[in-house]
DNA sequence: AAAAAAT
């Protein structure tokens, strides 16, 4: 059942018609036709780069002008104030590059013609190779030979003109001196590369105009000597499927929307080409920016940093993880990666930023904070990556994200290069992609480390009161409880340095309690949840990773994205009520080609997940306990009569439900004959290749709590 | 009846 391709084009089109955002011309909504990704529509639309408005209007969409608050782009409107302070940097200069002023009444400006400034944007002229981003006519090519230039400040009179030594005399493409200690620190960890041949089977589909061919080896594309050196040090052997496709796409300066799971190697898929580009092109204007004028160090602004690349991630731990990867690939380069996220001392983060920041990894809230403090300017951010975009929207980050991307000084789409990664492609993400991406390529990657192959999934019936003792039995692994025997063929490995066990619970309280219990029972364990201090969280993760505490009790905070090798066993002490969450949780094991075991405790409290769980097990070709099967059957019948839980109302009366909540994916089993009637789980999940996962299920947009009215908890 | 995220 895996890698199902869409075989129900009608249903699919129906759904897409329902969300018809992009096809005023009817292209997207026709029946009987294949889904046309948004970027393939409106082919005739003028490629007026950055012309967000016209594009939006073409779509029959009334939107607030995207850069409403970014007077900078149409030039000359900035008054050179930053956060209420005078900003010497822009004094009398191009002006247009002034910082965002959404508190200064610029909101009334409308960029009337959508022209991002034309000649005045000569500020964009790049010494590097950015000009070959052909679709934009913005770059005033001064050629690569300049050794210096007049500083921006001087152009419009008003002072400050001075010759600036061109820092690009440093060749960013050449490696800097090696540093043994650092090298050891960065690369001594285990190989996180994914080198297994079976990954070749992972289906990948790329759509979009002029999509560059994929690569088979890291050597098929020139990423420069720094990157190649670091790839070697990381012991990356060959690219994963997502890397094979994403690397050439990003290298050829195209925007990208990629649907891929974590664990597919996607962090490197964007870090490698982005950093490679930065190395070849040098810092561009970013280093010319105020930083070196000395003026930013004055009374008001202390060294505002202008990262060339920004990566946004939903959770702090994930941000850290991406940052750690970035440090590897930035080794022996002039690029300095930084990370900012909440819960940690902001002063320390600011000091770190002040030491230089070319690539910034951030969680949205803290970044906005940094921007408002005038510590970060996105004026020169040429590369924007949104990682786990669906997750970020789930968590309600959309306002912050739009604030960062649209309402500030970030270059508009078409100028910057934007890459979005998401496990799913629901309506909200499609809208975001439409707003943030220009002429993008859509990449759909089948699930790597698919549950069916790598992870053995067990579901056992355990009453609430028995859970603890049951858990102890599992951890000891010497005795397999009789109830489990029928399902557990191999005993789980005992937790140990190379055999980590991750125990998921549903509540923070529960996490504390269970950790206490295990601790009292003499187990080396720790816990992670959102109420623990950031320091404790990181410490816990470290203890776990290093194997000092081979048992980690966790809430949903650890369910997604975290890449911890050697997790041999995931135990759902409490099952989640959402199948999506389940999939993410068990995905913490069986990574990088290893085998994993996932054991879930099930009792009547979990009836809401019965059907979806069953479907997942079937799809992943796992043994299904007979009681689960009959339960699912019962549940379906029982609930169809008296209105099922909102979330799993699948199968019946689709459209009527779609505004209410949950069930979105459910009614559209896009699998032709088999109307599973409640199968929301296919979305973004394992078995189902691309089509079904990404295009369809979320058509009704009901799957995400932020989209509809009520979620499972009634919030 | 929850978790996450800026303070």
């Amino acid at each position: 059942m895996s890698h199902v391709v869409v075989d129900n084009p009608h249903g699919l089109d129906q759904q897409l018609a329902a969300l018809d955002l992009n096809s005023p011309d009817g292209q997207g909504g026709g029946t009987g036709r294949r889904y046309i990704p948004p970027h393939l529509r409106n082919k005739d639309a003028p490629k007026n780069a950055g012309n967000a408005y016209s594009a939006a209007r073409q779509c029959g969409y009334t939107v607030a002008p995207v850069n409403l608050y970014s007077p900078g782009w149409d030039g000359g409107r900035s008054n050179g104030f930053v956060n209420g302070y005078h900003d010497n940097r822009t004094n009398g200069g191009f002006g247009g590059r002034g910082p965002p002023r959404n508190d200064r009444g610029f909101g009334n400006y409308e960029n009337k013609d959508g022209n991002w400034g034309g000649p005045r944007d000569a500020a964009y002229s790049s010494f590097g190779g950015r000009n070959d981003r052909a679709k934009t006519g913005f770059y005033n090519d001064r050629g690569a030979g300049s050794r210096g230039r007049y500083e921006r400040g001087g152009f419009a009179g008003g002072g400050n003109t001075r010759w600036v030594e061109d820092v690009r005399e440093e060749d960013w493409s050449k490696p800097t001196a090696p540093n043994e200690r650092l090298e050891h620190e960065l690369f001594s960890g285990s190989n996180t590369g994914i080198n297994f041949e079976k990954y070749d089977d992972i289906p990948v589909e790329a759509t979009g105009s002029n999509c560059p061919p994929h690569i088979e080896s890291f050597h098929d594309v020139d990423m420069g000597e720094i990157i190649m050196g670091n790839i070697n040090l990381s012991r990356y052997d060959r690219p994963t499927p997502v890397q094979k496709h994403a690397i050439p796409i990003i290298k050829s300066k195209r925007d990208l929307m990629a649907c891929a799971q974590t664990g597919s190697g996607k962090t490197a898929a964007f870090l490698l080409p982005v950093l490679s580009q930065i190395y070849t092109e040098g810092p561009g204007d970013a280093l010319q920016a105020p930083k070196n004028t000395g003026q930013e160090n004055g009374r008001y602004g202390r060294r505002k940093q202008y990262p060339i690349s920004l990566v946004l991630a939903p959770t702090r731990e994930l941000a850290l993880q991406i940052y750690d990867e970035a440090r590897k690939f930035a080794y022996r380069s002039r690029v300095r990666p930084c990370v900012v996220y909440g819960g940690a001392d902001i002063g320390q983060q600011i000091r770190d930023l002040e030491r230089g920041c070319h690539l910034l990894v951030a969680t949205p809230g803290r970044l906005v904070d940094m921007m408002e403090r005038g510590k970060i300017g996105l004026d020169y951010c040429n590369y924007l990556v949104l990682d786990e975009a669906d997750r970020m929207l789930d968590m309600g980050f959309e306002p912050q994200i739009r604030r960062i991307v649209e309402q500030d000084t970030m270059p508009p789409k078409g100028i910057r290069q934007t890459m979005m990664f998401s496990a799913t492609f629901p309506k909200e993400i499609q809208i975001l992609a439409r707003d943030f991406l220009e002429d993008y390529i859509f990449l759909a990657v089948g699930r790597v480390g698919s549950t069916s192959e790598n992870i053995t999934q067990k579901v056992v019936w355990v009453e609430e009161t028995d859970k603890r003792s049951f858990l102890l039995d599992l951890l000891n692994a010497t005795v397999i409880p009789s109830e489990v025997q029928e399902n557990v063929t191999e005993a789980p490995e005992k937790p140990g340095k190379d055999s980590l066990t991750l125990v998921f619970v549903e509540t923070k309280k529960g996490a504390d309690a269970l950790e206490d219990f295990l601790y009292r029972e003499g187990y080396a364990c720790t816990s992670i949840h959102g109420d623990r201090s950031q320091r404790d969280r990181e410490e816990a993760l470290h203890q776990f990773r290093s194997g000092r505490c081979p048992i980690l009790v966790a809430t949903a905070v650890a369910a997604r994205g975290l890449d911890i090798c050697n997790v041999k066993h995931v135990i759902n002490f409490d099952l989640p009520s959402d199948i999506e969450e389940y999939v993410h949780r068990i995905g913490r094991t069986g990574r990088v080609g290893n085998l994993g075991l996932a054991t879930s405790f099930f009792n009547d409290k979990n009836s809401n997940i019965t059907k979806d769980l069953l479907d997942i097990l079937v799809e992943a070709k796992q043994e299904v306990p007979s009681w689960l099967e009959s339960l699912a059957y019962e549940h379906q019948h029982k609930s169809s009569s008296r209105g099922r839980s909102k979330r799993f109302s699948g199968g019946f009366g689709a459209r009527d439900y779609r505004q209410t909540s949950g069930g979105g994916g459910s009614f559209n089993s896009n699998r032709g004959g088999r109307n599973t009637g409640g199968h929301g789980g296919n979305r973004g999940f394992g078995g189902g290749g691309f089509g079904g996962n990404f295009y369809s299920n979320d058509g009704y947009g009901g799957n995400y709590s932020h989209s509809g009215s009520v979620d499972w908890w009634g919030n």
Side-chain angles (χ1 to χ4, degrees), chain A residues 385-412:
Chain A
V385 180
L386 304 190
D387 200 8
E388 307 257 322
D390 50 354
R391 173 83 161 141
M392 288 200 278
L393 292 195
D394 274 348
M395 290 168 60
F397 279 146
E398 183 161 2
Q400 287 95 319
I401 292 173
R402 288 193 181 271
R403 160 87 175 76
I404 291 163
V405 178
E406 297 178 333
Q407 299 167 11
D408 218 284
T409 50
M410 169 146 352

Side-chain angles (χ1 to χ4, degrees), chain A residues 429-448:
Chain A
I429 298 293
Q430 294 172 30
I431 295 174
L432 214 58
R434 185 206 55 200
D435 293 347
F436 289 180
L437 306 178
E438 169 112 348
D439 188 25
Y440 63 92
I441 289 176
F442 183 93
L443 205 55
V445 184
R447 189 178 170 79
V448 176

